[in-house]
Amino acid sequence: MGFTLVYLGLVVLIPLGGLLIRVSAMTWADFARVAFSDRALAAYRLTFGASFVAATLNAVIGTVLAWVLTRYRFPGRRFIDALVDFPFALPTAVAGLTLAHLFSESGWLGQFLVPLGLRLAY
């Protein structure tokens, strides 16, 4: 919990606080000038344009892929289905493997717990 709060503070709260301090020193006219400058508008167009294109492609390709995987049988179907499921399973699998290794006989915590009779890995 402490690491999470420190990470949250360093990555989110400090930059957000700096932004608020910087903006609080500006007038509304200065803020509008900066927010609607050519550079800012180009960044908005790039961000929202790329997000729209990615969402559209994902919707079309995802719908077609879901249709094909549910309606047809073909060689490699299970492999493609596994590739679709892979991002959902990866974080859980990585966490499980990490914890298993951490508490195994040669792991960082397991090397101290196994001699005490605590086998937590398996």
Side-chain angles (χ1 to χ4, degrees), residues 64-86:
V64 170
L65 184 62
W67 179 269
V68 168
L69 286 175
T70 55
R71 300 285 289 180
Y72 303 106
R73 304 281 179 226
F74 55 90
R77 179 181 166 274
R78 291 181 61 186
F79 179 73
I80 294 173
D81 191 29
L83 286 178
V84 170
D85 293 338
F86 187 66

Side-chain angles (χ1 to χ4, degrees), residues 1-118:
M1 178 78 169
F3 177 75
T4 303
L5 292 177
V6 168
Y7 190 74
L8 176 70
L10 291 174
V11 173
V12 176
L13 298 178
I14 291 175
L16 189 60
L19 180 66
L20 291 175
I21 290 170
R22 176 89 183 241
V23 169
S24 67
M26 299 173 87
T27 64
W28 283 105
D30 290 338
F31 176 76
R33 181 180 48 79
V34 170
F36 297 108
S37 68
D38 290 337
R39 186 179 216 174
L41 291 175
Y44 302 150
R45 277 192 299 273
L46 176 65
T47 301
F48 290 114
S51 298
F52 179 75
V53 168
T56 304
L57 285 174
N58 282 335
V60 171
I61 293 171
T63 302
V64 170
L65 184 62
W67 179 269
V68 168
L69 286 175
T70 55
R71 300 285 289 180
Y72 303 106
R73 304 281 179 226
F74 55 90
R77 179 181 166 274
R78 291 181 61 186
F79 179 73
I80 294 173
D81 191 29
L83 286 178
V84 170
D85 293 338
F86 187 66
F88 299 111
L90 183 62
T92 305
V94 170
L97 290 172
T98 303
L99 289 173
H101 181 68
L102 185 67
F103 290 107
S104 69
E105 291 182 2
S106 62
W108 288 355
L109 297 176
Q111 65 183 346
F112 302 113
L113 297 175
V114 169
L116 298 175
L118 296 171

